[in-house]
């Protein structure tokens, strides 16, 4: 009788490793979402207090945070672009 340690004819056939997947949890997305949340809160408070100036400030905060998220993505702190396909173009997302 042979033990598993003595059996050298066994091979492990493993699937290829999955690519890195961060589910969109990146610095760029967190920055954009935090800014949009704060801006929406400021705009909501402006409605409660009937302040047009505060309302405009809330939407300016939202616009600045969206631009900051895009800049961070371009700097490499966001979701990476899809890998190019050998035949040209980009890899399509799977349909759900």
């Amino acid at each position: 009788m042979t033990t598993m340690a003595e059996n050298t004819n066994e091979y492990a056939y493993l699937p290829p490793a999955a690519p890195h997947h961060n589910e969109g949890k990146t610095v760029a997305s967190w920055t954009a979402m935090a800014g949009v949340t704060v801006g929406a809160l400021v705009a909501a408070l402006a409605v409660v207090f009937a302040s047009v100036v505060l309302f405009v400030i809330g939407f300016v905060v939202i616009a600045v945070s969206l631009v900051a998220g895009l800049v961070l993505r371009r700097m490499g702190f966001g979701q990476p672009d899809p890998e190019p396909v050998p035949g040209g173009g980009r890899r399509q997302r799977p349909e759900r």
Side-chain angles (χ1 to χ4, degrees):
M1 180 169 142
T2 62
T3 62
M4 285 187 86
E6 295 171 359
N7 191 354
T8 58
N9 295 332
E10 289 187 16
Y11 297 100
Y13 295 101
L14 300 175
H20 177 69
H21 183 67
N22 61 14
E23 298 176 354
K25 297 174 184 167
T26 63
V27 174
S29 66
W30 282 104
T31 301
M33 274 312 303
V36 167
T37 302
V38 169
L41 178 64
V42 170
L45 288 174
V47 170
V48 171
F49 297 124
S51 172
V52 175
V53 174
L54 200 58
F55 190 76
V56 171
I57 290 173
F59 276 93
V60 168
V61 169
I62 290 172
V64 168
S65 67
L66 291 175
V67 170
L70 289 173
V71 168
L72 284 170
R73 181 174 182 228
R74 289 290 178 195
M75 290 175 59
F77 292 103
Q79 188 83 5
D81 289 332
E83 297 175 12
V85 179
R90 296 192 172 211
R91 183 168 297 176
Q92 299 295 321
R93 293 179 186 243
E95 294 182 18
R96 294 182 185 204

